[in-house]
Amino acid sequence: MNYSEKVMDHFINPRNVGEIKNADGIGEVGNAKCGDIMKMYLRIEDETITDCKFKTFGCGAAVATSSMATEMIKGRSIDDALKLTNSAVMEALDGLPPVKVHCSVLAEQAVKAALTDYYQKQGIDPEPIVGKVPEMEEE
Amino acid sequence: MEKRIIYADHAATTAVSDAVLQAMMPYFQTNFGNPSSIYSKGRENERAIIDARARVARCLGADPKEIFFTAGGSESDNWAIKGVADKLAAKGKKHIITSAFEHHAVLHTCEFLEKHGFEVTYLPVSADGLIDPQQVADAIREDTALVSIMYANNEIGTIQPIAEIGAVCKAKGVLFHTDAVQAVGNVEIDVKAQNIDLLSLSGHKFHAPKGVGALYIRRGITLPNLIHGGGQESGKRAGTENVTGIIGLAQAIEDATANIPAKIAKLTPLRDKLIDGILKIADTRLNGSRTQRLAGNVNISFVGIEGESLLLMLDHYGIMASSGSACTSGSLDPSHVLLSIGLSHEVAHGSLRLSFGEEFTEEDADYILAVLPGIAERLRSMSPMWETIQKEGIHFNADKTKLIKEGE
Ligand SMILES: Cc1ncc(COP(=O)(O)O)c(C=O)c1O
């Protein structure tokens, strides 16, 4: 697998691994059957993501894209986080092998799923803001 | 602990040995002639190929006329299966028996034949990764053209009862092919005693270069030509011979088969030490029979860990290995071999294959056992799947093929 040095760096030294207790938003995407699960935790204060952590079960690219995604939204506004795209994550990692592009999609979805959860906890319908996030598939 | 570099992926390929390289060297520049040429540089090469064919034959208990050089395992498998199918279809025999966990060179060839009017029976594999000769006997029909069962599995290293299957096929008058790519040099092979009609082998699995192999075709069986052209390989596989490769193959197979019992005696305790040591890590399982397996193969699944990330971490520590996870197969499904022995997708994704050869040492095994628990712990600590497993009391079922919830 031809991973860039950035991907390898984020895999070997992932940033923001872990959980946030009583997180304001938690999103989980992917499933064990396909071999990728990402779980994203957000702490949100005044529309800003003040902290962000992740846990990932998956390949090198899955870990690296989650790690990069947390770096890209930490300290940023919700609006900025909503604009995070999978291609931006890929670009920040100096690219991904074609078969691994879906990992970057998963990372984008994990952020959106966590924001959906945040709005739901606030009693706000997330769909007009976040859009539809694919449901977690149960086996 | 000092970092070690350990190549534990011999089932994928091996390095060309010094002896093999030295045997090949003269044929690149000095004896470069075309074996078909009449002058001495050509004749020298022809003699070298005759000699190489005899040496390969001797290592298998075959006759030199029964050895055909090819470009490797995939080519030999294709030729054997399509060749027999083509030949026997004319006699109304359009049924092939193989197993569910063959290499893709066999499986995809069979799938191709299915599209061309053949019927293929894929024998199921036991939970231990073994085929019972009785299954073969029961599956043989009037119109069966060929039985193709691999000698040793490339992922889980299980060794099939080849002589018994050969006897069944002989008794029923059906041709028997075996893909012995992973077996050569690791188990004693005697094509006559084991009633093998066709056998595929590949040089790069035992220290010959990549892109050279052979197909043993028992005398009396005439397969259609694989490549039409000149008269090389009795006119069956045309094209100027890969002289250096063929000479390398002969040297390599002699070296690999020179002392198999000693190799088995050396590697078996190391394999068992690795298996016992790795299984001490919680929620792991050995894939494939513990005893009917290659002395240099370990295959273990780790619950809650994905195979590719395990390989990348091991590589970081200098250990080169492989996995049957979907990520490493480049598809969405984990290895068909692991699924064939009954593993669920979740369990199959977390597999690790260590395959090693003669140079593997006790220190290498100790090093692997020293770093693996920490790697497993680290990957599990960041795995949401592991978290769910711990929280919800999910655990292995009795035969460790699936994950189930408490009380299920
Ligand atoms: C069991 C088995 N059959 C066939 C092959 C294909 O051999 P080759 O790479 O020489 O075509 C391999 C090697 O990958 C193998 O392990």
Side-chain angles (χ1 to χ4, degrees), chain A residues 1 3 8 11-14 17 19 32-35 37-39 41 54-61 63 99-100 139, chain B residues 304-306 308-310 312-313 316 326-328 330 332 334 345-346 349 378-385 387-388 391:
Chain A
M1 198 59 65
Y3 284 141
M8 283 313 294
F11 173 75
I12 298 290
N13 310 297
V17 179
E19 297 170 40
K33 191 168 180 228
C34 294
I37 307 174
M38 285 183 196
K39 194 164 181 181
Y41 300 80
F54 81 94
K55 276 192 168 185
T56 290
F57 161 81
C59 61
V63 173
V99 294
K100 299 295 187 183
E139 204 198 332
Chain B
I305 296 177
E306 192 283 322
E308 188 197 282
S309 55
L310 186 55
L312 290 170
M313 285 302 291
H316 185 65
C327 281
T328 55
L332 278 181
H345 280 61
E346 285 88 338
H349 282 308
R378 171 164 170 192
L379 290 171
R380 280 173 171 170
S381 75
M382 57 188 285
S383 162
M385 180 179 166
E387 181 190 317
T388 309
K391 263 192 207 141

Side-chain angles (χ1 to χ4, degrees), chain B residues 346-359:
Chain B
E346 285 88 338
V347 177
H349 282 308
S351 78
L352 168 69
R353 176 186 74 185
L354 299 163
S355 54
F356 39 87
E358 216 136 14
E359 81 287 357

Side-chain angles (χ1 to χ4, degrees), chain B residues 11-13 71-77 101-106 150-155 179-183 200-205 210-213 353:
Chain B
T13 196
S74 302
E75 182 179 313
S76 297
D77 286 342
F101 77 161
E102 297 293 315
H103 190 270
H104 283 141
V106 169
M150 71 198 318
Y151 207 126
N153 185 271
N154 46 305
E155 287 187 39
D179 173 342
V181 168
Q182 295 290 339
S200 304
L201 61 87
S202 177
H204 73 100
K205 308 290 185 183
K210 294 158 187 67
V212 64
R353 176 186 74 185

